[in-house]
Amino acid sequence: MADTVQFYMEEMIPEMRDLEQKGIFSKTEIKSIIKQRQKFEYALKRRISKKADFLRYIEYEMNLEALRKKRRARMVSDTKKSISDYAGPRRIYFIYKRCLIKFKGDISIWLQYIDFAKKTGATRTLGKIFAQAIQLHPTNEKMWILAAAWEWEENANIVAARVLLQRAIRLNTTTESLWHEYFRLELVYIAKILARRQVLGIDASNKEAEDDLMEDEEADTDNMIKLPGVTGEEYSEFIKEDDKEEEPKKSNKAKQGKKEKKKMEALTEEKAEALQTEKNPVLRGDIAMVVFRNGVETIPTSFPFRKGFLDIANSFIKPKPLKEDSIQEIYDSIEKDFKELPEALALVARRAIDAYKVDEEGYALGVAETVKGFWAACESKDVKMFELFVQNMTWEHRKTTEENLKLYFSKTIDRIFSTANKKNIHSEALYLLHVNWMLSSSTQSFDAISKKALTVLDKAVTEHPESTALTIQQIRLLRSFSRSEQIARLPEIFARALKIHTESFEVWREYATFLRTAYREEDMSKEQVEEAFLEAVRITTTLMPDVTEERADIGLIKQSVSSWFLDWMNETEGIEGVRRLYQSLMKRSLPDLGFFMACIQLEKENSVDQPESRKAIAMLYEKAIHTNEKNEDTYLSFLKHLNETGQIEAANKVMWKAGKAVENSDTFSQRYSELLEGQWVEPSFGVTKLELDMDVDTEDVAMSS
């Protein structure tokens, strides 16, 4: 190991000598560089190499090279390149190669390696890197796509890009992104050629030629010099005279003339026709459509896959690489193969409206055709179809500014809800869309429309009692009513909701807000609110721990309900009531870290100088540490408090205890040093403050759905 490291160090001598002679680095800096590189080399030669060591070495070399370039740029007099100009990037490449020998399966390192090669402009090396990466990871579609993109964007080699994607698809037949990227490549290629032809005026259509002619005729000729007309006889005489003058020149350029003739003869009528867009299969989009058809044949049952082709085709504005008949083929294939899927029917129905912008002339006709298509699709009585119909009409209603169109969309949306109600077609999402539409678009007063919306919500919650979204919407809408109406209905709604939606954080938040507001408005006594909070703590304490993502809110619910209870107690009885409460809760349940940190925060807000407060804070910190003795942040928070209050001896004891408990004492010591320097930021520990919002307006209620 030492021999290898020494060999690498000796290889650096010419480079270091050159850097010193040029004055880029001083002797002291060169010694530091050598020492640092030697340290990294020994780290790489350990028995079990770590990826982090390689990456740190690469990062150091990149920073060093950036510094060398900056200093080199200042030396205007010396522009001749030498070994030190090449040694840095060469060493980084060498480290990457050694790293990939050890960690060839790590995609992230390959991507970093490719990115570095792109930045340094190493075209040949990049080709080799892509070849190695693809050979080792033939099933990773990202590598194939990056390689094809590099061939097309950097090398302008469409053939190589096609070959790469064809090989990729052959090996990964069912990978949707590869089919999409191949389709996109063909369209980008067509769009680029069409744009170039448009600039050069090649292959202009008859209509475009007529438009140009009309523009010429309509042009203002007052300020233009008019050339005299030339008759046919004058032109013939001019050609004869010109031929006589050119006779001697032709004899001198006989060979060149033959070559030119051959070139002209090579461009036959058939070849000239083939260059036209309409006659050229590539420019017509035939290859792109072959990719689409083969992709559909390979992956026939995926609607998102089929829709992806359409999204790519519609992403081009001008010039459009695909003709209308090709785009229609994609729509027809979606309509044929997914005629039972509401999303597919909605996509087909929207074609007429997507063909125009909101301010274009044909938009109104497109709207009428789209609405007709949606009503035809709604004949199946599929509730999802009605939901998509409402969503699409709402989007268009928001986009347009023309009053007649806005009115048309409003009438259409009202008709959709009316038709769905008559046919008894309902769902949770459709109810939410209905309420949201009523609250956001009605011209009636808020009191009148909110009562109608509440009637709809009452019916919706009765039909869908398991819906958390409908229940929260019902509660928030009721909060906009008078206090008497709230007190008459909300307790009953919360009693039902907390049984069904026990694991919903938003329901518990609304309940805590209701309790605290009811106490402030004197609708409930202190004893009633305290009893209700204690029952809430009891219910949340019995919830199972959040071991899965679906139950991720449970830990937050347990912690938040207790914190909200403590905040309310602090408002009503002060710190004495808070102490009585948390001592009682510690006996009844097993509080978590967030609960203890919330108690500590309240104690600190009260006082940190009184002996009783200091004793309570120390006790709470000990309890908090006991919940997880390896949590460094809890120790650091405690140490910060002790240092700020001048309890140095106690801080030393906590520091000694932490050094024994944490996993990495060196890292902890470094973080403690940052704390002493004022650089450590204390985390929130999940402590949440409940902000009461009594002024619920129409916009808030509408947005909640």
Side-chain angles (χ1 to χ4, degrees):
M1 180 174 74
D3 293 341
T4 308
V5 173
Q6 185 63 28
F7 174 72
Y8 290 148
M9 292 294 105
E10 289 174 0
E11 279 192 328
M12 299 175 194
I13 293 173
E15 175 197 354
M16 295 292 105
R17 188 176 293 149
D18 189 48
L19 289 169
E20 185 182 356
Q21 287 173 356
K22 287 186 174 181
I24 295 175
F25 293 119
S26 64
K27 282 187 177 181
T28 308
E29 287 174 327
I30 287 172
K31 284 181 181 179
S32 175
I33 292 168
I34 292 171
K35 186 177 179 182
Q36 194 66 34
R37 283 178 175 174
Q38 189 176 36
K39 183 180 175 182
F40 279 123
E41 289 294 344
Y42 274 114
L44 301 190
K45 285 296 177 182
R46 68 176 73 186
R47 183 170 294 178
I48 301 175
S49 303
K50 293 183 179 179
K51 184 174 74 171
D53 293 331
F54 284 98
L55 296 180
R56 275 195 287 266
Y57 195 2
I58 290 168
E59 184 182 7
Y60 172 78
E61 289 295 338
M62 284 182 174
N63 293 334
L64 184 66
E65 178 62 15
L67 178 62
R68 187 200 65 79
K69 283 182 178 178
K70 283 183 180 179
R71 293 187 180 181
R72 182 78 169 80
R74 295 175 194 157
M75 300 176 180
V76 184
S77 59
D78 186 9
T79 57
K80 188 178 178 181
K81 289 191 175 183
S82 59
I83 187 171
S84 60
D85 294 303
Y86 309 107
R90 193 185 302 161
R91 180 170 291 101
I92 295 170
Y93 279 114
F94 183 51
I95 299 167
Y96 266 122
K97 286 178 182 178
R98 291 158 68 190
C99 180
L100 288 168
I101 290 171
K102 293 280 185 181
F103 305 100
K104 61 183 73 175
D106 196 317
I107 298 294
S108 62
I109 300 175
W110 281 105
L111 295 176
Q112 289 180 41
Y113 191 18
I114 290 166
D115 187 54
F116 175 73
K118 283 181 178 179
K119 287 177 180 177
T120 53
T123 307
R124 291 184 180 179
T125 306
L126 196 54
K128 293 177 182 177
I129 294 169
F130 275 125
Q132 291 171 359
I134 288 170
Q135 189 177 9
L136 288 167
H137 302 280
T139 58
N140 187 285
E141 67 272 15
K142 193 168 186 179
M143 287 295 180
W144 290 101
I145 293 168
L146 280 173
W150 173 71
E151 286 288 358
W152 166 239
E153 293 169 6
E154 301 298 328
N155 301 335
N157 193 338
I158 185 65
V159 176
R162 280 174 179 157
V163 169
L164 280 167
L165 287 175
Q166 286 168 4
R167 288 177 181 173
I169 289 171
R170 201 175 298 126
L171 292 170
N172 308 278
T173 318
T174 57
T175 304
E176 296 181 0
S177 59
L178 289 172
W179 289 100
H180 285 158
E181 291 305 319
Y182 191 10
F183 185 73
R184 191 195 310 277
L185 174 70
E186 292 298 337
L187 296 192
V188 169
Y189 177 64
I190 296 168
K192 189 173 182 179
I193 292 178
L194 291 179
R196 187 180 296 168
R197 287 186 166 205
Q198 197 172 11
V199 170
L200 297 173
I202 301 172
D203 199 22
S205 64
N206 293 332
K207 188 177 183 302
E208 288 174 349
E210 288 172 9
D211 292 342
D212 292 340
L213 187 60
M214 290 293 291
E215 286 177 9
D216 291 341
E217 289 176 358
E218 293 172 3
D220 182 14
T221 58
D222 294 338
N223 298 319
M224 295 174 63
I225 299 173
K226 295 183 179 180
L227 296 174
V230 180
T231 64
E233 293 176 0
E234 290 174 338
Y235 181 72
S236 300
E237 290 176 6
F238 171 75
I239 291 296
K240 288 176 182 178
E241 290 176 5
D242 190 52
D243 288 342
K244 289 177 183 178
E245 291 176 3
E246 291 293 328
E247 198 71 35
K249 295 180 182 178
K250 287 181 180 178
S251 59
N252 295 332
K253 298 179 180 178
K255 292 182 180 180
Q256 187 176 352
K258 288 180 181 178
K259 291 180 181 178
E260 293 293 332
K261 190 177 180 181
K262 286 181 180 178
K263 288 182 180 178
M264 293 298 292
E265 287 175 356
L267 188 64
T268 60
E269 289 185 7
E270 292 180 2
K271 290 184 178 180
E273 284 184 7
L275 289 174
Q276 295 178 8
T277 304
E278 296 298 330
K279 301 293 179 70
N280 192 311
V282 176
L283 299 182
R284 278 202 314 260
D286 289 1
I287 296 178
M289 292 309 295
V290 167
V291 174
F292 167 72
R293 294 183 197 109
N294 289 341
V296 168
E297 188 178 343
T298 308
I299 309 172
T301 58
S302 174
F303 169 69
F305 175 62
R306 201 81 58 94
K307 183 176 178 290
F309 287 107
L310 197 58
D311 292 339
I312 293 167
N314 289 332
S315 65
F316 294 86
I317 302 173
K318 284 184 179 180
K320 283 228 175 235
L322 272 189
K323 304 300 178 187
E324 282 300 315
D325 55 346
S326 298
I327 295 175
Q328 184 61 46
E329 182 181 339
I330 300 175
Y331 274 108
D332 291 343
S333 107
I334 292 172
E335 189 174 12
K336 177 185 174 183
D337 296 341
F338 303 99
K339 54 189 173 185
E340 302 296 328
L341 191 66
E343 289 84 356
L345 296 176
L347 184 67
V348 173
R350 275 195 64 89
R351 193 196 173 182
I353 208 171
D354 287 335
Y356 304 96
K357 292 182 180 178
V358 179
D359 54 351
E360 287 184 349
E361 187 178 347
Y363 179 73
L365 293 174
V367 168
E369 192 173 338
T370 294
V371 170
K372 184 180 177 182
F374 267 111
W375 279 121
C378 286
E379 292 296 325
S380 63
K381 296 183 180 181
D382 189 333
V383 66
K384 183 66 179 177
M385 199 66 242
F386 279 85
E387 293 170 11
L388 291 168
F389 196 0
V390 172
Q391 288 171 0
N392 280 275
M393 293 299 102
T394 306
W395 292 336
E396 298 304 321
H397 178 270
R398 289 173 184 166
K399 283 196 303 184
T400 187
T401 54
E402 209 277 320
E403 289 301 323
N404 290 327
L405 276 175
K406 271 190 170 293
L407 182 62
Y408 177 76
F409 285 126
S410 297
K411 295 290 185 184
T412 303
I413 293 168
D414 290 336
R415 185 186 165 196
I416 297 167
F417 288 122
S418 175
T419 305
N421 194 36
K422 286 178 183 177
K423 294 183 177 181
N424 199 25
I425 299 171
H426 302 297
S427 70
E428 175 188 353
L430 196 59
Y431 274 125
L432 286 170
L433 288 167
H434 193 183
V435 172
N436 189 30
W437 173 251
M438 292 172 72
L439 294 172
S440 62
S441 64
S442 178
T443 55
Q444 300 180 28
S445 66
F446 177 67
D447 290 339
I449 198 63
S450 60
K451 287 180 180 178
K452 290 181 180 179
L454 185 61
T455 304
V456 175
L457 277 170
D458 289 341
K459 181 184 176 184
V461 171
T462 304
E463 291 182 11
H464 303 276
E466 75 290 344
S467 171
T468 306
L470 286 171
T471 302
I472 292 171
Q473 181 76 349
Q474 183 188 33
I475 292 167
R476 288 179 179 169
L477 184 58
L478 267 170
R479 282 181 57 205
S480 65
F481 283 46
S482 64
R483 289 300 306 165
S484 58
E485 289 175 300
Q486 289 186 47
I487 294 300
R489 292 206 56 191
L490 281 176
E492 181 185 350
I493 290 173
F494 276 119
R496 174 188 56 79
L498 292 175
K499 288 180 181 178
I500 301 173
H501 310 289
T502 315
E503 299 178 5
S504 170
F505 175 80
E506 287 300 323
V507 171
W508 283 107
R509 181 183 171 84
E510 292 292 336
Y511 184 52
T513 305
F514 167 72
L515 292 177
R516 293 179 65 172
T517 309
Y519 175 73
R520 286 186 182 182
E521 299 294 329
E522 298 183 353
D523 296 323
M524 293 177 70
S525 65
K526 180 178 178 300
E527 290 74 17
Q528 288 176 318
V529 175
E530 185 172 348
E531 185 179 348
F533 264 123
L534 285 170
E535 180 63 17
V537 171
R538 186 192 66 78
I539 293 171
T540 55
T541 304
T542 59
L543 294 175
M544 295 297 290
D546 50 325
V547 293
T548 60
E549 289 185 8
E550 292 80 6
R551 299 169 58 84
D553 278 351
I554 291 178
L556 182 61
I557 291 168
K558 290 181 179 181
Q559 180 179 312
S560 300
V561 170
S562 301
S563 299
W564 296 332
F565 193 5
L566 288 166
D567 287 340
W568 175 78
M569 186 60 74
N570 189 42
E571 289 178 9
T572 54
E573 292 187 16
I575 195 63
E576 294 298 329
V578 171
R579 287 171 184 163
R580 175 178 61 82
L581 177 59
Y582 68 63
Q583 287 171 2
S584 172
L585 292 177
M586 282 191 287
K587 292 176 183 177
R588 295 185 181 198
S589 60
L590 295 172
D592 57 7
L593 175 62
F595 171 81
F596 290 115
M597 297 310 293
C599 297
I600 290 167
Q601 189 172 333
L602 292 172
E603 287 283 1
K604 286 181 179 179
E605 289 173 1
N606 175 60
S607 174
V608 292
D609 297 325
Q610 296 177 3
E612 191 174 354
S613 294
R614 288 190 176 188
K615 184 179 178 182
I617 290 170
M619 181 272 292
L620 289 168
Y621 265 120
E622 290 293 339
K623 296 278 188 184
I625 288 170
H626 188 65
T627 59
N628 184 2
E629 293 186 349
K630 293 185 178 181
N631 190 332
E632 294 182 3
D633 288 328
T634 314
Y635 287 108
L636 291 171
S637 177
F638 194 9
L639 288 166
K640 182 182 178 183
H641 164 72
L642 294 173
N643 285 317
E644 287 176 348
T645 54
Q647 303 177 64
I648 306 302
E649 188 177 346
N652 291 334
K653 290 181 180 178
V654 173
M655 185 64 188
W656 179 84
K657 182 179 179 181
K660 297 288 185 182
V662 297
E663 291 183 353
N664 193 328
S665 57
D666 293 335
T667 306
F668 179 75
S669 299
Q670 186 178 353
R671 295 186 70 193
Y672 182 54
S673 300
E674 292 174 0
L675 185 151
L676 295 175
E677 294 170 3
Q679 297 177 0
W680 181 72
V681 180
E682 186 170 1
S684 64
F685 295 100
V687 179
T688 55
K689 288 284 184 182
L690 182 64
E691 297 178 3
L692 297 181
D693 183 16
M694 282 300 300
D695 301 323
V696 181
D697 58 16
T698 319
E699 196 172 324
D700 292 333
V701 177
M703 285 298 292
S704 65
S705 65

